Protein backbone atom coordinates (compact mmCIF):
# COMPACT_ATOMS: atom_id res chain seq x y z
CA UNK A 1 0.00 0.00 0.00
CA UNK A 2 1.49 3.30 -1.15
CA UNK A 3 0.78 6.35 0.98
CA UNK A 4 1.59 10.00 0.28
CA UNK A 5 1.73 12.63 3.00
CA UNK A 6 2.12 16.36 2.29
CA UNK A 7 3.57 18.83 4.77
CA UNK A 8 3.83 22.56 4.28
CA UNK A 9 4.13 25.93 5.98
CA UNK A 10 0.43 26.81 6.26
CA UNK A 11 1.05 30.55 5.86
CA UNK A 12 3.47 32.24 3.46
CA UNK A 13 4.00 35.95 2.90
CA UNK A 14 3.77 37.46 -0.60
CA UNK A 15 7.04 37.46 -2.56
CA UNK A 16 8.45 34.60 -0.48
CA UNK A 17 8.99 30.96 -1.46
CA UNK A 18 6.39 28.29 -0.78
CA UNK A 19 7.87 24.87 0.03
CA UNK A 20 5.86 21.67 0.39
CA UNK A 21 7.19 18.17 1.01
CA UNK A 22 5.58 14.89 -0.04
CA UNK A 23 6.73 11.87 1.94
CA UNK A 24 6.06 8.55 0.20
CA UNK A 25 5.77 5.26 2.05
CA UNK A 26 5.15 1.77 0.72
CA UNK A 27 7.05 2.31 -2.52
CA UNK A 28 10.22 3.90 -3.85
CA UNK A 29 10.01 7.22 -5.69
CA UNK A 30 12.68 5.90 -8.07
CA UNK A 31 10.72 2.78 -9.05
CA UNK A 32 10.02 2.21 -12.74
CA UNK A 33 7.92 3.75 -14.27
CA UNK A 34 6.19 6.23 -11.99
CA UNK A 35 5.72 9.99 -12.06
CA UNK A 36 5.29 12.09 -8.95
CA UNK A 37 3.12 15.13 -9.59
CA UNK A 38 2.16 18.24 -7.67
CA UNK A 39 -1.38 19.56 -8.11
CA UNK A 40 -3.14 22.47 -6.42
CA UNK A 41 -6.72 23.65 -5.99
CA UNK A 42 -7.44 27.32 -5.26
CA UNK A 43 -10.61 28.09 -3.28
CA UNK A 44 -13.69 27.61 -5.45
CA UNK A 45 -11.65 26.52 -8.48
CA UNK A 46 -10.62 23.32 -10.17
CA UNK A 47 -7.46 21.27 -9.96
CA UNK A 48 -4.33 22.73 -11.55
CA UNK A 49 -1.36 20.53 -12.39
CA UNK A 50 1.94 22.13 -11.38
CA UNK A 51 4.63 19.69 -12.48
CA UNK A 52 6.28 16.35 -11.86
CA UNK A 53 9.51 14.55 -11.20
CA UNK A 54 9.81 11.19 -12.92
CA UNK A 55 11.38 7.95 -11.73
CA UNK A 56 14.58 8.73 -13.65
CA UNK A 57 14.83 12.21 -12.13
CA UNK A 58 13.64 14.39 -14.99
CA UNK A 59 11.27 17.26 -14.24
CA UNK A 60 8.50 18.89 -16.24
CA UNK A 61 6.41 21.93 -15.30
CA UNK A 62 3.21 23.63 -16.31
CA UNK A 63 4.14 26.41 -18.74
CA UNK A 64 2.23 28.97 -16.68
CA UNK A 65 4.27 28.18 -13.56
CA UNK A 66 7.59 26.99 -14.96
CA UNK A 67 9.47 30.21 -14.28
CA UNK A 68 8.66 30.04 -10.56
CA UNK A 69 8.65 26.28 -9.91
CA UNK A 70 11.26 23.78 -8.82
CA UNK A 71 10.57 20.12 -8.03
CA UNK A 72 13.31 18.01 -6.50
CA UNK A 73 13.65 14.89 -4.41
CA UNK A 74 15.56 13.34 -1.57
CA UNK A 75 15.71 9.66 -2.44
CA UNK A 76 17.27 8.73 0.90
CA UNK A 77 14.11 10.00 2.62
CA UNK A 78 11.72 9.01 -0.18
CA UNK A 79 10.53 12.61 -0.38
CA UNK A 80 9.49 14.89 -3.23
CA UNK A 81 9.83 18.64 -2.66
CA UNK A 82 7.95 21.48 -4.35
CA UNK A 83 9.23 25.05 -4.28
CA UNK A 84 7.16 27.90 -5.71
CA UNK A 85 8.89 31.26 -5.70
CA UNK A 86 7.58 34.83 -5.64
CA UNK A 87 4.16 33.82 -4.40
CA UNK A 88 1.04 36.00 -4.44
CA UNK A 89 -2.39 35.53 -2.84
CA UNK A 90 -3.48 33.77 -6.06
CA UNK A 91 -1.18 30.91 -5.07
CA UNK A 92 -3.40 30.20 -2.06
CA UNK A 93 -4.98 26.75 -2.14
CA UNK A 94 -4.73 23.10 -1.21
CA UNK A 95 -1.56 21.47 -2.49
CA UNK A 96 -1.56 17.77 -3.34
CA UNK A 97 1.01 15.25 -4.44
CA UNK A 98 -0.08 12.27 -6.51
CA UNK A 99 1.43 9.37 -8.40
CA UNK A 100 0.38 10.23 -11.92
CA UNK A 101 1.71 10.95 -15.38
CA UNK A 102 -0.37 13.96 -16.50
CA UNK A 103 -0.11 12.85 -20.13
CA UNK A 104 -2.74 10.26 -19.18
CA UNK A 105 -4.89 12.75 -17.25
CA UNK A 106 -5.09 13.41 -13.52
CA UNK A 107 -7.91 10.89 -13.31
CA UNK A 108 -5.38 8.15 -13.96
CA UNK A 109 -3.65 8.75 -10.62
CA UNK A 110 -3.63 5.68 -8.43
CA UNK A 111 -2.52 7.43 -5.24
CA UNK A 112 -3.14 10.91 -3.82
CA UNK A 113 -2.05 12.60 -0.65
CA UNK A 114 -4.67 14.20 1.57
CA UNK A 115 -3.52 17.70 0.62
CA UNK A 116 -2.18 20.55 2.69
CA UNK A 117 -3.62 24.07 2.87
CA UNK A 118 -1.27 26.92 1.98
CA UNK A 119 -2.40 30.53 2.43
CA UNK A 120 -0.44 33.43 0.96
CA UNK A 121 -1.17 36.56 2.97
CA UNK A 122 0.62 39.45 4.59
Amino acid sequence: QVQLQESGPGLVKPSQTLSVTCTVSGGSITANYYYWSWIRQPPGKGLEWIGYIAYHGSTYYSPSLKSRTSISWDTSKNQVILQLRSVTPEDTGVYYCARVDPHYGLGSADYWGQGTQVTVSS
Side-chain angles (χ1 to χ4, degrees), residues 21-107:
T21 298
C22 177
T23 301
V24 178
S25 60
S28 174
I29 58 176
T30 63
N32 298 349
Y33 302 94
Y34 296 118
Y35 294 71
W36 304 92
S37 284
W38 285 101
I39 302 101
R40 68 181 183 180
Q41 186 169 35
K45 299 181 180 179
L47 297 172
E48 179 184 20
W49 179 77
I50 299 169
Y52 69 61
I53 187 164
Y55 60 97
H56 46 64
S58 67
T59 55
Y60 185 65
Y61 306 117
S62 170
S64 64
L65 296 170
K66 182 178 180 178
S67 66
R68 298 193 290 132
T69 305
S70 294
I71 296 174
S72 58
W73 62 12
D74 184 340
T75 58
S76 69
K77 297 180 180 179
N78 223 38
Q79 292 180 327
V80 179
I81 302 101
L82 168 69
Q83 293 186 297
L84 184 64
R85 299 177 292 275
S86 302
V87 299
T88 74
E90 291 190 349
D91 294 311
T92 292
V94 179
Y95 284 72
Y96 300 92
C97 55
R99 193 169 77 173
V100 61
D101 180 352
H103 295 101
Y104 292 91
L106 297 183

